[in-house]
């Protein structure tokens, strides 16, 4: 770290600024800001290990960032499938390196590790917890499933309460994508954040429309004077039509 230039030291302030804006940046925007700064710091002499520690990411992740172009999209990292194709990780191997608290959903590094007793992993741009084991990145909710049941999930892990960082085993369920999607609690990124899930504003009629997808079709639920009324209509229909809904 003695060779780090003044410019790279200034970058630590920029990194802290980006980190403070964690709540306002989403997906590709946040990732692009971090990757751009990491590349600048690496050019200024910061080693991969130091960047990984500062970003709370694994060294393989930092290396991928340095090798990638900045024009990334949200499909770069899937939140629904394992981070890597390694399938030889067993429950016994997992128990050797990590301790999982089923009541809190947190993983702690086990005894004999350099970080024994410390919280394992970091939160990614999508709000999911990840943990690096022997150079391989894993989604913490997949590790929780393996830790408790001895197998990786067959389908997708749904966070029942909608909190992607809540990896308590009682908050996880192994479901097909249809069920997982039906438990959506927030509007997608292309939707207006001011409106409730399942609603839109009809400018021509100056009303709020509610609609829901079911069996491959879109069902119109009516137009309402307020977004709250439209949202309530959507939620009522969702609880009837979507088996995966837990709201």
């Amino acid at each position: 770290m003695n060779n780090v230039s003044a410019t790279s030291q200034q970058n630590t302030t920029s990194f802290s600024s980006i980190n403070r804006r964690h709540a306002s940046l989403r997906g590709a925007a946040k990732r692009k800001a971090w990757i751009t700064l990491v590349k600048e710091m690496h050019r200024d002499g910061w080693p991969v290990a130091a960047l990984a520690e500062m970003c709370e990411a694994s060294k393989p992740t930092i290396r991928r960032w340095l090798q990638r172009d900045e024009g990334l999209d949200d499909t770069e990292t899937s939140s629904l499938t394992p981070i890597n194709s390694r399938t030889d990780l067993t429950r016994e191997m997992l128990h050797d390196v990590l301790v999982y608290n089923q009541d809190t959903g947190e993983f702690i590094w086990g005894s004999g590790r350099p970080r024994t007793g410390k919280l394992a992993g970091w939160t990614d741009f999508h709000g999911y917890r990840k943990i690096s084991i022997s150079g391989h990145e894993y989604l913490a909710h997949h590790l929780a499933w393996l830790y408790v049941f001895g197998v990786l999930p067959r389908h997708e892990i749904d966070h029942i309460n909608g909190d992607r960082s809540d990896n308590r085993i009682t908050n996880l369920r192994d479901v097909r994508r249809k069920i997982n999607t039906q438990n959506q609690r927030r509007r997608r990124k292309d939707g207006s954040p001011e409106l409730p899930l399942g609603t839109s504003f009809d400018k021509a009629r100056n009303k709020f429309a509610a609609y829901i997808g079911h069996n491959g079709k879109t069902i119109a639920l009516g137009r309402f004077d307020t977004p709250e009324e439209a949202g309530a209509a959507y939620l009522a229909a969702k609880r009837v039509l979507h088996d995966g809904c837990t709201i």
Side-chain angles (χ1 to χ4, degrees):
M1 298 295 291
N2 294 332
N3 294 327
V4 175
S5 68
T7 301
S8 64
Q9 291 175 352
Q10 292 173 358
N11 280 336
T12 61
T13 303
S14 300
F15 182 86
S16 299
S17 176
I18 291 175
N19 207 31
R20 285 195 298 270
R21 298 200 306 272
H22 186 279
S24 62
L25 292 175
R26 288 291 184 270
K30 186 193 304 180
R31 182 163 53 249
K32 184 175 181 179
W34 279 30
I35 291 176
T36 299
L37 185 56
V38 162
K39 287 183 176 182
E40 292 176 358
M41 295 174 73
H42 188 256
R43 285 194 296 267
D44 288 334
W46 281 73
V48 169
L51 292 170
E53 182 176 356
M54 179 172 293
C55 297
E56 296 184 355
S58 69
K59 287 186 283 188
T61 294
I62 297 299
R63 292 191 184 99
R64 285 203 304 272
W65 286 4
L66 295 174
Q67 293 171 358
R68 286 183 181 274
D69 294 329
E70 294 178 5
L72 305 175
D73 57 38
D74 283 335
T75 61
E76 178 198 350
T77 301
S78 171
S79 61
L80 303 174
T81 55
I83 297 301
N84 58 76
S85 58
R86 182 183 180 189
T87 58
D88 61 339
L89 183 67
T90 65
R91 176 162 56 180
E92 291 70 25
M93 294 166 61
L94 195 56
H95 285 192
D96 284 342
V97 296
L98 291 168
V99 176
Y100 172 60
N101 186 327
Q102 297 187 33
D103 295 326
T104 65
E106 295 179 336
F107 281 93
I108 304 297
W109 290 113
S111 60
R113 309 288 297 181
R115 299 181 179 179
T116 297
K118 294 184 178 181
L119 182 66
W122 64 95
T123 303
D124 73 3
F125 299 106
H126 300 280
Y128 294 96
R129 295 288 297 174
K130 292 179 183 176
I131 299 175
S132 178
I133 302 175
S134 300
H136 296 265
E137 288 182 16
Y138 296 89
L139 289 163
H141 49 276
H142 287 180
L143 295 181
W145 200 264
L146 175 62
Y147 197 100
V148 174
F149 299 111
V151 293
L152 288 169
R154 292 182 59 191
H155 305 295
E156 298 178 356
I157 292 296
D158 176 34
H159 290 81
I160 297 172
N161 66 2
D163 183 350
R164 295 172 174 178
S165 65
D166 184 355
N167 292 317
R168 292 173 297 136
I169 199 63
T170 55
N171 190 46
L172 306 179
R173 58 179 180 174
D174 184 3
V175 299
R176 295 185 182 277
R177 172 158 296 191
K178 177 181 179 180
I179 299 297
N180 196 359
T181 303
Q182 288 178 348
N183 198 28
Q184 179 185 350
R185 291 167 178 254
R186 298 179 298 177
R187 293 182 64 87
R188 298 189 184 280
K189 291 175 59 178
D190 57 353
S192 171
E194 292 82 13
L195 295 179
L197 187 67
T199 67
S200 65
F201 182 62
D202 185 342
K203 293 182 180 180
R205 295 177 174 83
N206 197 31
K207 296 280 187 177
F208 295 90
Y211 48 87
I212 190 169
H214 181 60
N215 290 335
K217 299 180 180 179
T218 300
I219 303 174
L221 302 174
R223 293 177 175 81
F224 305 85
D225 293 329
T226 68
E228 291 77 18
E229 290 175 320
Y234 169 79
L235 186 55
K238 185 176 182 65
R239 287 169 173 164
V240 174
L241 299 176
H242 288 178
D243 294 336
C245 175
T246 61
I247 304 175

